[in-house]
Structure formats: structure tokens, C-alpha cells
């Protein structure tokens, strides 16, 4: 029997039980002697986690272990200002969702990608609302240039356009998490894939085209073919975590250029033989992408310094703090 966390409530977990191809769900709590004991360093489970459990057919079951994660997506915890909030774990793919109309923003896409690469899951860019798009081909091309190494698709949950092409990811026993700003259509996409209105959805605000933050908790669903999909609330702020690995993947073109500058101490301002300046002037690198890289790197370096400082002060690891997911405060949405 396998057990997966499908939702996290204040102190209760929804669990999906899988026995070969049969699925059942139940509620569970954490085993106090394990999770609240100084003897064990057990991570608190999050949505998508694979756990060990003592099943109780008549009441809440007991979660006894969080199994090692093959991937996880975290952000800086907005509640405490430091520490980590794990949004989802154990997924194979991250669908980074961005709408082809008003939400289209390459800078934001680069930030999502940087963090997604670091998660150990494979990022896939899903551009939504293809039925409303103007200059769609141009936008897809721009997204492809920004999303080096990740595939880019355009879909519509209204016409079904592009959905077929995503089938290769939505396979049995694969797990996929959906991320993106409020209003891009994550829950509409979830409903489309499940063929059912499992998630509430709502229109975007007329004044500024932003979403209403309709979804307030993360939830994993099982598709008929055995794929597991995780819908999440649109977050305002990524709260940059240290993203060295992700930066390398997202900006591999820039890293290669950096090795080609004539001087090791190149500041990439106006030196002769600066590969960055040359790439910007011949159009193979945009100034915007370069600036965004510098910004993300600076932010990451700052975060790393802060963490080192906290470590030196012997600050306690906050990730052991129990999640209070459904709690509105915990999920205070902050746009990335
Ligand atoms: N025309 C069109 N509208 C769409 C499409 N997908 C979603 N929408 C609309 O976009 C609005 C927002 O959709 P949601 O699914 O609630 O967005 P969300 O990303 O889940 O938003 P949060 O839960 O707030 O994070 C709704 O009015 C949907 O009907 C699409 O492919 N085409
Ligand atoms: Mg939603």
C-alpha cells in the first residue's frame, strides 16, 4: 500500500491510499512521538508527499514517516519572514502557467523557471487562454527564448486547443504541480483535465486583469488514468530562496557567455572583449534578460548571506514547523 498526502489542514491531513490500481482516501494525523520528538528529525509532510502510515479504518490514521522527496518546491515563508514553506513535493513536472493575454510577463516567467529548476522537478511552460491571445505565435517564441531547456505549450480550457500535446506529461503515476499567478486558469485547467468542476474558479478583475485569489489551499487530485495533479493558489511573492542551481539552468546561455569574457574581472560594463556586451549588441542576448539575471543573482546572494548569518546565530530550522495550510493567514497570497 502507498500513501500520498493530497491536502494539508490545520492539524489533519487528507491521504490517498493506493493499492495497485485501487485508490481510497482517508484522514490522518501526525504521530506525536515521531514528529514532535527531539529524537527524530522528521520533516512535516506537505501536499504530494509519500508517507508511511498506521491505517485506522474507524478513525484518523497515524502518519509515522515522511519518505524521502525526489523533488520539492519551496518559497520563503511569508508568515515568519524567514524559514521555508514547502508548497508541494514529489512531483515529476511543474507546469508554470501564464496567461497569453494580460498576465504575459517574461520577467515573471524567468523567476518561476529559476525556482522550478531548483525543485528537481522538470519545468514545462503552459501558456493559457490561447482562445483570447493576440500575437500568439510571437508570444510563444518569446517564451521559448526565455525558457531555455523547458518546453512551451499554448492551451485553451475553453476550446481544448493544445491539450492533447500535454498528454505525454499527464501519465499514470506521474505527479504534476500547477503554479502561476492568480487568474491564469490553474483551477479551470484542473477541472478540464478531471472532466468535473472540482475546483471553484472565478473571473479576473476588470480594472487590472488580476485574479481574485479564488483558490486558497493546495489540493492533489487523481486523474482517471492514474496521473496525479496538484492545484495551488496564485502566490504574490516568491520570497526568493537561494537559487544557485536554478539560476544555472535557467540562464545557461549567460553562464556560457560569462566564461568567454576576455578579462576574468570583467564588470560587463564597457570592457573590450566583454562577451555579454557583444551578445547584447548583436541581439543574441537582450538587455532585459541580462538585467533580470543580475537582479535574481543579487537577491539569491543576499538570501544566502542571510541564511549563513542565521546559521551562525544557531537559529533553529523552521521547516519542522507544522503547516497550517487551510489557515488563511498561512496562505496569505502574495503575488510573485
Ligand atoms: N477564455 C478563457 N478563459 C479562461 C481559460 N482558463 C481560465 N479562464 C478564465 O479565467 C478566470 C480565472 O480562472 P481560474 O481557473 O479561477 O484561475 P486560477 O489560476 O485558478 O486563479 P487562483 O485560484 O486565484 O490562483 C476564470 O474566469 C476562467 O473562466 C481559457 O483557457 N480561456
Ligand atoms: Mg484556482
Amino acid at each position: 500500500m502507498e500513501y500520498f498526502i493530497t491536502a494539508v489542514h490545520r492539524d489533519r491531513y487528507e491521504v490517498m491510499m493506493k493499492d495497485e490500481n485501487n485508490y481510497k482516501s482517508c484522514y490522518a494525523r501526525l504521530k506525536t512521538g515521531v514528529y514532535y520528538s527531539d529524537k527524530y528529525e522528521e520533516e512535516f509532510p506537505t501536499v504530494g508527499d509519500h508517507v508511511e502510515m498506521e491505517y485506522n479504518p474507524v478513525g484518523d490514521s497515524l502518519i509515522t514517516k515522511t519518505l524521502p522527496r525526489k523533488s520539492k518546491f519551496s518559497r520563503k515563508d511569508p508568515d515568519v519572514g524567514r524559514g521555508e514553506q514547502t508548497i508541494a513535493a514529489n512531483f515529476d513536472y511543474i507546469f508554470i502557467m501564464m496567461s497569453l493575454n494580460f498576465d504575459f510577463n517574461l520577467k515573471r516567467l524567468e523567476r518561476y523557471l529559476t525556482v522550478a529548476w531548483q525543485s528537481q522537478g522538470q519545468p514545462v511552460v503552459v501558456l493559457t487562454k490561447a482562445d483570447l491571445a493576440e500575437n500568439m505565435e510571437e508570444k510563444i517564441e518569446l517564451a521559448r527564448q526565455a525558457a531555455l531547456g523547458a518546453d512551451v505549450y499554448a492551451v485553451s480550457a475553453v476550446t481544448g486547443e493544445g491539450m492533447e500535446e500535454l498528454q505525454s506529461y499527464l501519465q499514470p503515476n506521474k505527479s504534476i504541480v500547477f503554479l502561476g499567478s492568480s487568474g491564469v486558469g490553474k483551477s479551470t485547467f484542473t477541472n478540464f483535465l478531471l472532466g468535473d468542476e472540482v475546483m471553484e474558479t472565478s473571473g479576473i478583475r476588470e480594472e487590472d486583469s488580476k485574479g481574485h485569489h479564488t483558490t486558497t489551499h493546495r489540493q492533489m487530485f487523481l486523474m482517471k488514468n492514474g496521473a496525479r495533479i496538484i492545484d495551488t493558489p496564485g502566490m504574490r511573492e516568491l520570497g526568493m530562496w537561494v537559487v544557485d542551481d536554478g539560476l544555472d539552468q535557467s540562464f545557461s546561455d549567460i553562464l556560457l557567455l560569462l566564461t568567454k569574457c576576455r578579462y576574468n574581472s570583467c564588470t560587463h560594463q564597457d570592457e573590450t572583449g566583454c562577451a555579454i556586451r557583444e551578445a547584447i549588441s548583436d541581439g543574441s542576448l537582450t538587455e532585459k534578460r541580462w538585467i533580470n539575471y543580475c537582479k535574481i543573482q543579487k537577491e539569491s546572494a543576499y538570501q544566502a548571506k542571510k541564511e549563513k548569518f542565521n546559521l551562525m546565530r544557531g537559529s533553529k530550522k523552521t521547516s519542522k514547523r507544522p503547516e497550517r495550510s487551510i489557515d488563511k493567514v498561512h496562505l496569505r497570497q502574495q503575488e510573485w
Side-chain angles (χ1 to χ4, degrees), residues 129 131-132 157-158 182-188 201-203 213-215 234:
K129 309 193 186 180
D131 55 298
L132 300 179
V158 170
S182 177
V184 299
K186 299 177 294 298
S187 302
T188 310
T201 63
S202 91
H213 291 294
T214 312
T215 305

Side-chain angles (χ1 to χ4, degrees), residues 200-309:
E200 195 190 329
T201 63
S202 91
I204 52 177
R205 289 199 301 243
E206 286 303 321
E207 326 86 81
D208 58 6
S209 314
K210 290 213 160 45
H212 286 291
H213 291 294
T214 312
T215 305
T216 53
H217 72 285
R218 295 154 283 153
Q219 179 90 43
M220 182 161 91
F221 297 98
L222 181 71
M223 283 177 61
K224 282 200 185 86
N225 72 349
R228 300 188 293 271
I229 56 178
I230 303 171
D231 188 15
T232 66
M235 282 166 279
R236 276 213 190 88
E237 196 182 286
L238 174 55
M240 207 58 158
W241 205 239
V242 183
V243 292
D244 290 347
D245 299 349
L247 261 181
D248 290 0
Q249 286 269 6
S250 298
F251 294 97
S252 53
D253 55 335
I254 292 183
L255 290 188
L256 184 67
L257 287 171
L258 289 173
T259 65
K260 293 183 175 166
C261 288
R262 185 176 302 165
Y263 306 112
N264 282 342
S265 57
C266 189
T267 61
H268 319 296
Q269 305 287 327
D270 47 16
E271 288 95 334
T272 37
C274 170
I276 296 289
R277 285 290 132 208
E278 277 167 17
I280 289 172
S281 57
D282 73 21
S284 55
L285 173 67
T286 63
E287 182 90 40
K288 259 181 159 170
R289 184 167 167 78
W290 168 243
I291 291 171
N292 198 26
Y293 168 79
C294 296
K295 248 177 79 183
I296 292 177
Q297 203 203 32
K298 214 165 128 193
E299 217 175 321
S300 175
Y302 171 72
Q303 198 59 41
K305 225 165 113 187
K306 233 168 76 178
E307 272 168 42
K308 203 168 152 199
F309 179 70

Side-chain angles (χ1 to χ4, degrees), residues 2-228:
E2 290 180 282
Y3 304 105
F4 298 96
I5 305 293
T6 54
V8 183
H9 299 269
R10 189 176 286 272
D11 50 9
R12 231 171 157 211
Y13 293 77
E14 282 176 39
V15 179
M16 183 171 81
M17 303 186 283
K18 175 175 187 264
D19 184 12
E20 305 223 329
N21 286 327
N22 298 314
Y23 292 87
K24 264 197 328 201
S25 59
C26 72
Y27 279 99
R29 292 175 190 276
L30 300 176
K31 188 162 184 169
T32 316
V34 174
Y35 283 90
Y36 295 93
S37 142
D38 285 341
K39 225 167 86 193
Y40 302 95
E41 270 289 302
E42 211 53 45
E43 286 279 347
F44 281 85
T46 192
V47 176
D49 259 325
H50 199 179
V51 295
E52 282 179 5
M53 200 178 77
E54 289 167 10
Y55 179 58
N56 177 356
V58 291
D60 282 354
S61 299
L62 275 184
I63 298 170
T64 54
K65 189 173 178 53
T66 309
L67 292 169
R69 293 164 171 165
K70 63 179 175 196
S71 60
K72 68 170 184 176
F73 181 85
S74 312
R75 65 169 182 165
K76 215 168 67 186
D77 195 323
D79 265 4
V80 286
R82 69 190 162 103
E84 184 178 0
Q85 181 192 26
T86 308
I87 307 284
N90 271 329
F91 41 82
D92 297 279
Y93 304 109
I94 299 186
F95 280 8
I96 298 176
M97 306 186 68
M98 197 166 84
S99 144
L100 274 160
N101 56 345
F102 309 108
D103 176 65
F104 192 82
N105 178 329
L106 291 173
K107 218 162 112 186
R108 188 181 313 123
L109 179 62
E110 281 167 346
R111 281 172 77 86
Y112 271 97
L113 276 161
T114 302
V115 183
W117 279 119
Q118 206 191 16
S119 72
Q120 304 295 322
Q122 187 186 325
V124 176
V125 177
V126 178
L127 303 173
T128 58
K129 309 193 186 180
D131 55 298
L132 300 179
E134 283 171 23
N135 311 327
M136 183 159 87
E137 291 308 321
E138 192 189 319
K139 284 178 176 160
I140 293 175
E141 189 45 42
L142 288 171
R144 286 209 167 109
Q145 285 167 16
L148 288 178
D151 287 333
V152 178
Y153 298 89
V155 300
S156 164
V158 170
T159 63
E161 177 183 349
M163 293 291 187
E164 265 302 300
E165 289 179 66
L166 294 175
Q167 274 313 316
S168 58
Y169 303 101
L170 301 161
Q171 291 296 309
N173 297 317
K174 295 286 180 199
S175 168
I176 305 102
V177 61
F178 305 155
L179 294 175
S181 306
S182 177
V184 299
K186 299 177 294 298
S187 302
T188 310
F189 184 72
T190 303
N191 292 343
F192 183 96
L193 294 178
L194 296 171
D196 197 1
E197 298 291 308
V198 292
M199 289 300 291
E200 195 190 329
T201 63
S202 91
I204 52 177
R205 289 199 301 243
E206 286 303 321
E207 326 86 81
D208 58 6
S209 314
K210 290 213 160 45
H212 286 291
H213 291 294
T214 312
T215 305
T216 53
H217 72 285
R218 295 154 283 153
Q219 179 90 43
M220 182 161 91
F221 297 98
L222 181 71
M223 283 177 61
K224 282 200 185 86
N225 72 349
R228 300 188 293 271

